[in-house]
Amino acid sequence: MPISRSLCQAAFQGACALESFDKRQVVMEELVRSLEVRYEQKDPYFMHLLEDSRQTISDSHPTASIVRCINDYIAALVRDADVNGICAFVKRWLRMGILTSVAAEQCLLAAANIALPSLDKPRSPTKSSWKSVQLEQVAELACTIAANSANNSLADRIGLDNIALPMYTLLTRILCEYLHNVDSRDTLKSADSVLFALSTATSHSPILRNYAPQDFNESAIKLLLALASRQHESESNASLVNSAIGYLDLMRHLDQVPAQKTIEQLCTAAARLNMDISAISKYWAGILKGDAKNQKISYFAKSLL
């Protein structure tokens, strides 16, 4: 039977509507397997759908068609808190070739967007359905996929920006969640693991650094400084502040201008540790003063110069 994106979506939506958990799981796994069989048999209709996925990665259609087809399946796995299942599914379809690297990252981003509270809505009483370590797991997989893809011969055809954007969007969402839960005992360890995974990816594929968007870099800085303000060990605090400075330097390299408040927070953190960041402060004070979109740096920040 010919298959289209709308038919595929409808099939998964119908499976999700089943009240019985066991029945729902069986039907959805059967649907997933049926798509895998179609792929293995090179079913022309399914291959056309996949080819359409490869063609529709653009500003007007940012999500691959295949990802939209299985969004309800991803949502069901999220509701069941089955992060292992999501990661295993993405890795399997990526290995089989059903998902491109970009589509695989989009699946992980779709899962995170479902699991995490909306950034546009009040946070209470809504809470994430995932724990810090589960977010960590998804972030690490996204970083691995992006790093491997950036070094792939197909990267030029796919576009490095298309490879990097889903990863950074996912990481930004996760860092914002960690910032909201900055007082949790698990946040420091998980945040460190996520940023280490990114560092490993960018060491493997340095070109990815050039695609780090401003909202990600500022989110990383804010989280690192927030964590530093809550630690008792000065050595650990200094390490966190130095990491924040590293992201600020990346922003300078990418011609990104941080918010005035971000610089003020950095000045505050450095002052508490008696760290000399006068050169950094003076540089950004000059940039912010010359930026028509920003007000002059505050008297407090100036007092630290």
Side-chain angles (χ1 to χ4, degrees), residues 99-266:
L99 295 177
T100 63
S101 55
V102 176
E105 290 180 355
Q106 289 178 347
C107 283
L108 297 174
L109 176 58
N113 283 336
I114 295 167
L116 298 177
S118 172
L119 296 175
D120 300 326
K121 297 179 181 178
R123 296 302 306 257
S124 182
T126 308
K127 294 183 179 179
S128 169
S129 59
W130 283 354
K131 297 179 181 178
S132 294
V133 68
Q134 293 174 308
L135 293 171
E136 201 180 309
Q137 187 178 347
V138 171
E140 288 172 352
L141 178 56
C143 289
T144 299
I145 293 172
N148 291 338
S149 303
N151 288 341
N152 192 292
S153 60
L154 295 176
D156 290 338
R157 185 170 68 84
I158 297 173
L160 282 167
D161 53 340
N162 284 321
I163 292 171
L165 182 59
M167 177 192 71
Y168 279 117
T169 303
L170 171 64
L171 295 182
T172 302
R173 291 286 282 115
I174 290 174
L175 294 188
C176 287
E177 182 67 17
Y178 286 161
L179 185 59
H180 180 71
N181 296 292
V182 72
D183 293 319
S184 170
R185 291 182 300 174
D186 298 327
T187 297
L188 176 60
K189 179 180 177 298
S190 292
D192 183 64
S193 295
V194 168
L195 293 177
F196 179 76
L198 176 61
S199 176
T200 301
T202 54
S203 294
H204 184 63
S205 304
I207 190 66
L208 289 173
R209 291 192 183 96
N210 294 339
Y211 294 89
Q214 179 163 336
D215 58 346
F216 167 78
N217 289 326
E218 289 217 57
S219 294
I221 293 170
K222 290 175 183 176
L223 177 59
L224 288 164
L225 295 179
L227 289 170
S229 70
R230 287 161 173 78
Q231 302 304 309
H232 299 297
E233 298 180 11
S234 58
E235 185 175 339
S236 176
N237 288 346
S239 177
L240 290 167
V241 172
N242 280 322
S243 294
I245 291 172
Y247 281 101
L248 190 62
D249 190 58
L250 177 60
M251 292 185 72
R252 179 185 61 80
H253 172 71
L254 298 176
D255 293 325
Q256 297 172 356
V257 179
Q260 176 181 312
K261 186 176 181 180
T262 301
I263 300 301
E264 293 177 358
Q265 289 172 336
L266 178 61

Side-chain angles (χ1 to χ4, degrees), residues 8-17 24 28 67-79 114:
C8 188
Q9 282 180 305
F12 279 105
Q13 287 171 358
C16 281
R24 186 169 66 244
M28 282 211 270
V67 179
R68 283 179 279 171
C69 284
I70 60 175
N71 191 66
D72 285 282
Y73 176 66
I74 295 170
L77 292 175
V78 171
R79 284 196 300 272
I114 295 167

